[in-house]
Amino acid sequence: MTSQFPQFFDTRAFGRVLDSAFNDVVAAYGLTLELIFLPVLKALLAMEQLLLWLPWWAVLIGFSAFAWLASRSAKIMATVALLIFLIGVIGVWEQAMATVALMLVSTLMAVFLGLPIGVLMSRSNRVQGIALPVLDIMQTMPIFVYLIPFVMLFGPGKIPALLATIVFAIPPVIRLTNLGIRQVDVEIVEASRAFGASPMQVLTTVQAPLALPAILAGINQTTMMALSMVVIASMIGAGGLGYQVLQGIQRLEISRGLFAGLGIVFLAIIFDRIAQAYGKRMQKTLKLGA
Amino acid sequence: MGNNIKIYLENVSKVFGPDALNALALIDKGMTKTELLEKKGHVLGLHGINLEIETGKTTVIMGLSGSGKSTLIRHLNRLIEPTSGRILVDGEDILNLNALELRQFRRKKISMVFQKFALLPHKTVLENVIYGLLIDKVPPHAAKERGMAQVELVGLSGFENNFPGQLSGGMQQRVGLARALATDAEILLMDEAFSALDPLIRHDMQMQLREIQARLHKTIVFITHDLDEALLLGDKIAILKDGILRQVDTGMNILKNPADDYVGRFVRDVNRARILTCGPLAQPGTPTGDTRLNAEQTLESAFPIMAAAQGPIGVLANDGALLGVVTARQIMEALIQQDRAKSTLVGSDI
C-alpha cells in the first residue's frame, strides 16, 4: 500500500489544455515564426560555411590572432593554436566548426539580448525583483525541457537548437551585467551626474567601463553554457560534435564519443582562456585607479 | 535678498522615506527626529533651512556626521530633491528645471568636488579633468586645451597622462579640483573635499584653495566637520546639527558670540591664536625695529616675531600701508579676554 497525495484538481485536464493551446499556437504561428527566424538561420549557415570554406591553417591563425589580441600573452596564444591543431588531428574538424558556428552565433545573440536586459535590471529594483526568480528558474530547469516547445514550433533543426541555446545561456550575462553595474562606486556615478551627464552618458562613461570585468565574466559563463547546450541540442538536429557523441551512444562506439568529447573539451578551454585572459587584462587597467 | 546673493535656500526640508510629506507634517507639529525614526521609520535629513550664500564668497557648512551637511550640499545641484521649500540660484528656482534644463545647469553653472575624489580609475588625469567638458560635448581638442590649463593651475603638470591610482591622495584630489574648475562653473560645491587627506597635505590643499579662490572668486560651498578648516576657509560659516541650522555668521563672530550651547561647546576647544589675526588688534603708534607683521597673519604665527622684538611691531595692510602697532602684551591680553568671555559663556550655558 502506498499513501497517495490527495488530488486537489485534475492536473491531466490542465495539462491537456496547455498542450492543446500550445498546439494551436504552433498551428497558427509556426510558419510565420519560421519565416521570422529565416535570416538568423542564414547567418548561422553562412558562419558555418565560412569556417569550413577557410583552409584549416587560416582558421588556426585566425583563432591565434584573436587569442593574442585578447590576452597579449604568447603562452595563451600558443595553447590556443595547439588545441585547434589537435582538434584537426583527432579528426573532428568539420563537426567542431559546425559547433563553433552555432556557439558563436547563439552567444552573440545572447549577449546582444542579455546586455540591455541586465542594464534595465540594474536601473530598477522592481525589474530586478521580477527578473531574478525568472533567471533562477531558467537556470535550474533541466535543459531538455527547453527543447520541447522549440522543436514543436520549428521542427527538429538548427533554429530550435539555436533558440534553446540562447534561452539556456543568457542568464549569466544578464545577472553579471546587473551585478556589475550595481557594484560601481556610487560616488563616481554621483560625480558623473553632478557634471550633468544624461543617464546614457552615465552608462557609457562610468557604469559600463567600470562594470566591464563583471560583464566579461558573465559573457565567459554564457559562452561555456552555450557550448554545453550545443552538445545537448544535437539531439534535435543541431549536428556538430554533439551529434558524434549521440551516435557514439547509439552505435556503442567508445572512440567516436571520446574523440568528439575531447573536441568539446578543447573548444571549451580555447574560449575560456581567451575570455579569462581578456577579463584579467581589463581588471588590471581598472586596478590602476582602485 | 540683495544682488550679491548667489544661492538662496528658503525653508528647505528633507525627509527620507516613502511617505515623506506626511512625515514632514508630523515634524512641523513638533515630533522629534528620533520619534519620527522610531514610530514612522522615516529619517529627517533637513528641517526648515534658510540660508543665503553670497556671490564670490566661501560659505562653509559645518556639522558632525549625521548632521545633514552632505544632504544639504546635494540639494544645491539637486542630486537630492527636497521634500519642501525653494532653492533659488540667481533668483531662479532650480526645482522648476526639467531634466534637460537641470543637466544644462549642472554642466554650465555648478560643479562639485567629492570626499573620496570619485575619479574615473580607467581614465588619465587629463581625461578626468576634461570629463565635465566632454559631457557638455565640447570638442575634444578644445577640451584638452582647457584641461591642460587646469592641470597647470593645480600644479599637476607632467602628471596629465598618469592614472589616478598612480597618484597620492592629495594629488588625486587636485585632479578632482581641476575637474570641477574646468567647466568654468560659477558655483563650486566641495563635499568634505579635504577630509580624506592626511593633515599636512590637507593644509597644503587648504592653502591652495585659498590661493585659487583669491584669483577666481567662485561661489564656494564647502562642507566640513573640522572647525579649524571652517574658520580657515570660510567667509561665512553655517553650523548644522540634526538637520537644523544653529548659527550662520563669520568665523570671528561665531567664536565671540556662539548662538547657543551646542555651538559654544563646539568652539570651546579652538586654538584662538591660530584664528585671530593681527589686523584688528593694531593700534596707533610708532613701530620699533624693521620687522613688520601682516594684518592677515594669525597671532600664533606672530609669536616668534614678538618674542624676538623689543618694542611695538608695525602691522601692514595688504597694500603695504601701516595699520598700526601691536605689542606682546596686547596679544596676550586679547587671548586672555577671549578666554574669559568663553569660560563665562560656557559656564552660564551648561
Side-chain angles (χ1 to χ4, degrees):
Chain A
M1 266 292 279
T2 52
S3 70
Q4 275 203 324
F5 192 79
Q7 195 177 36
F8 294 110
F9 68 99
D10 188 1
T11 49
R12 280 171 305 173
F14 176 70
R16 270 199 298 275
V17 170
L18 188 67
D19 289 343
S20 77
F22 195 74
N23 277 331
D24 290 347
V25 171
V26 171
Y29 301 108
L31 204 65
T32 327
L33 282 173
E34 232 167 292
L35 282 174
I36 289 174
F37 283 101
L38 198 64
V40 181
L41 180 66
K42 281 199 173 145
L44 178 59
L45 289 176
M47 174 75 108
E48 203 178 313
Q49 273 158 8
L50 174 74
L51 283 172
L52 284 174
W53 173 77
L54 287 172
W56 66 270
W57 47 266
V59 174
L60 190 143
I61 290 173
F63 268 89
S64 308
F66 188 58
W68 169 255
L69 285 178
S71 69
R72 303 290 150 105
S73 147
K75 200 174 131 202
I76 287 172
M77 185 180 74
T79 314
V80 166
L82 178 70
L83 288 171
I84 293 274
F85 189 72
L86 282 178
I87 286 173
V89 168
I90 60 176
V92 291
W93 184 263
E94 277 175 33
Q95 291 83 356
M97 288 308 116
T99 298
V100 167
L102 184 56
M103 198 192 93
L104 282 182
V105 172
S106 55
T107 304
L108 278 177
M109 289 190 68
V111 170
F112 190 70
L113 294 171
L115 285 179
I117 299 175
V119 170
L120 224 67
M121 248 175 104
S122 72
R123 302 226 152 164
S124 145
N125 284 332
R126 190 176 295 171
V127 174
Q128 180 181 248
I130 296 167
L132 276 183
V134 173
L135 291 175
D136 287 338
I137 293 171
M138 282 168 75
Q139 277 184 300
T140 36
M141 187 74 82
I143 307 173
F144 297 97
V145 179
Y146 293 126
L147 297 180
I148 307 166
F150 288 120
V151 170
M152 285 176 72
L153 277 173
F154 298 98
K158 287 188 188 293
I159 284 293
L162 181 79
L163 294 180
T165 306
I166 292 171
V167 172
F168 178 70
I170 206 171
V173 68
I174 298 179
R175 260 181 211 283
L176 282 156
T177 301
N178 172 43
L179 190 72
I181 290 179
R182 280 174 187 266
Q183 278 175 344
V184 170
D185 188 345
V186 213
E187 213 185 23
I188 302 185
V189 174
E190 201 174 41
S192 174
R193 287 176 56 215
F195 281 98
S198 66
M200 197 57 180
Q201 284 174 321
V202 175
L203 180 69
T204 54
T205 62
V206 177
Q207 290 172 322
L210 294 185
L212 198 58
I215 295 173
L216 284 173
I219 293 177
N220 186 15
Q221 280 185 33
T222 288
T223 314
M224 291 299 118
M225 289 180 76
L227 186 60
S228 69
M229 185 63 184
V230 158
V231 175
I232 307 288
S234 67
M235 287 172 55
I236 54 170
L241 289 169
Y243 186 62
Q244 295 296 307
V245 177
L246 198 65
Q247 276 196 326
I249 297 173
Q250 285 165 346
R251 300 182 190 172
L252 295 180
E253 279 181 287
I254 282 207
S255 59
R256 192 182 282 272
L258 184 67
F259 286 146
L262 277 177
I264 292 165
V265 172
F266 293 161
L267 285 183
I269 297 175
I270 290 168
F271 283 105
D272 184 63
R273 284 304 121 91
I274 292 178
Q276 280 207 5
Y278 186 62
K280 260 187 211 151
R281 217 158 58 87
M282 284 294 108
Q283 223 149 14
K284 227 179 244 167
T285 327
L286 289 179
K287 272 270 166 56
L288 274 175
Chain B
M1 199 168 71
N3 267 340
N4 59 338
I5 301 301
K6 189 80 178 169
I7 309 174
Y8 180 60
L9 288 95
E10 186 184 283
N11 205 16
V12 170
S13 297
K14 173 69 185 177
V15 177
F16 294 97
D19 194 13
L21 271 176
N22 282 328
L24 183 62
L26 290 173
I27 290 284
D28 286 336
K29 277 182 202 147
M31 192 183 253
T32 66
K33 184 180 179 176
T34 336
E35 277 176 334
L36 185 75
L37 183 60
E38 278 169 8
K39 291 186 183 154
K40 300 282 166 192
H42 282 60
V43 177
L44 178 65
L46 296 171
H47 189 222
I49 300 289
N50 287 297
L51 182 62
E52 291 177 346
I53 289 164
E54 286 174 62
T55 312
K57 294 284 168 65
T58 304
T59 303
V60 174
I61 296 167
M62 206 196 111
L64 301 178
S65 52
S67 60
K69 54 192 190 303
S70 285
T71 306
L72 178 53
I73 201 172
R74 278 165 177 69
H75 276 75
L76 303 181
N77 56 0
R78 274 181 65 189
L79 285 174
I80 296 178
E81 305 276 342
T83 306
S84 76
R86 298 203 306 158
I87 300 167
L88 306 181
V89 175
D90 290 334
E92 196 192 348
D93 191 346
I94 60 165
L95 298 175
N96 294 335
L97 301 179
N98 64 28
L100 217 69
E101 291 164 340
L102 178 61
R103 257 178 247 153
Q104 286 306 317
F105 170 70
R106 287 172 176 168
R107 286 174 189 179
K108 310 274 188 207
K109 230 174 176 174
I110 196 160
S111 65
M112 194 161 178
V113 181
F114 292 81
Q115 180 173 9
K116 281 177 252 144
F117 324 137
L119 302 173
L120 288 171
H122 61 295
K123 297 279 185 191
T124 64
V125 165
L126 182 60
E127 286 167 337
N128 266 290
V129 169
I130 62 175
Y131 182 77
L133 297 173
L134 295 186
I135 288 294
D136 195 20
K137 304 198 173 76
V138 173
H141 187 74
K144 273 185 188 160
E145 230 164 75
R146 281 169 67 179
M148 278 310 290
Q150 300 305 325
V151 169
E152 260 164 53
L153 180 71
V154 299
L156 281 179
S157 302
F159 291 96
E160 61 270 9
N161 292 322
N162 287 64
F163 287 95
Q166 300 168 318
L167 305 181
S168 68
M171 290 162 95
Q172 289 192 39
Q173 193 57 301
R174 283 184 204 180
V175 179
L177 185 60
R179 175 176 67 177
L181 293 172
T183 60
D184 259 335
E186 301 148 42
I187 305 166
L188 190 58
L189 306 178
M190 304 187 75
D191 180 21
E192 299 225 30
F194 304 149
S195 300
L197 307 175
D198 57 57
L200 284 176
I201 306 287
R202 188 192 305 183
H203 192 70
D204 285 350
M205 291 294 288
Q206 288 163 349
M207 286 311 171
Q208 193 175 20
L209 179 65
R210 271 172 57 139
E211 222 171 82
I212 290 173
Q213 171 65 351
R215 260 187 286 168
L216 301 179
H217 302 292
K218 302 268 180 192
T219 303
I220 299 180
V221 182
F222 194 101
I223 297 276
T224 183
H225 60 252
D226 175 358
L227 187 57
D228 287 322
E229 188 168 66
L231 291 165
L232 181 66
L233 296 176
D235 295 309
K236 274 256 177 74
I237 299 176
I239 296 187
L240 195 66
K241 180 178 189 275
D242 291 339
I244 294 165
L245 276 180
R246 294 303 192 93
Q247 186 169 12
V248 185
D249 212 328
T250 61
M252 207 70 90
N253 284 342
I254 288 179
L255 284 184
K256 274 189 204 149
N257 308 306
D260 59 22
D261 156 33
Y262 175 77
V263 180
R265 285 214 311 267
F266 224 108
V267 301
R268 184 165 51 188
D269 297 326
V270 171
N271 181 353
R272 276 138 213 278
R274 209 176 269 173
I275 306 302
L276 298 177
T277 52
C278 296
L281 294 180
Q283 285 176 356
T286 336
T288 54
D290 292 332
T291 35
R292 293 285 181 270
L293 292 167
N294 191 291
E296 286 182 5
Q297 204 169 348
T298 61
L299 296 189
E300 190 182 52
S301 67
F303 286 164
I305 301 164
M306 299 301 307
Q310 300 301 322
I313 298 183
V315 179
L316 299 180
N318 261 348
D319 56 9
L322 190 69
L323 278 177
V325 296
V326 290
T327 62
R329 191 192 182 91
Q330 264 179 302
I331 288 184
M332 288 304 167
E333 275 171 357
L335 288 173
I336 294 165
Q337 260 178 9
Q338 296 270 332
D339 238 32
R340 241 183 242 144
K342 176 183 65 181
S343 57
T344 50
L345 177 131
V346 171
S348 68
D349 270 5
I350 294 178

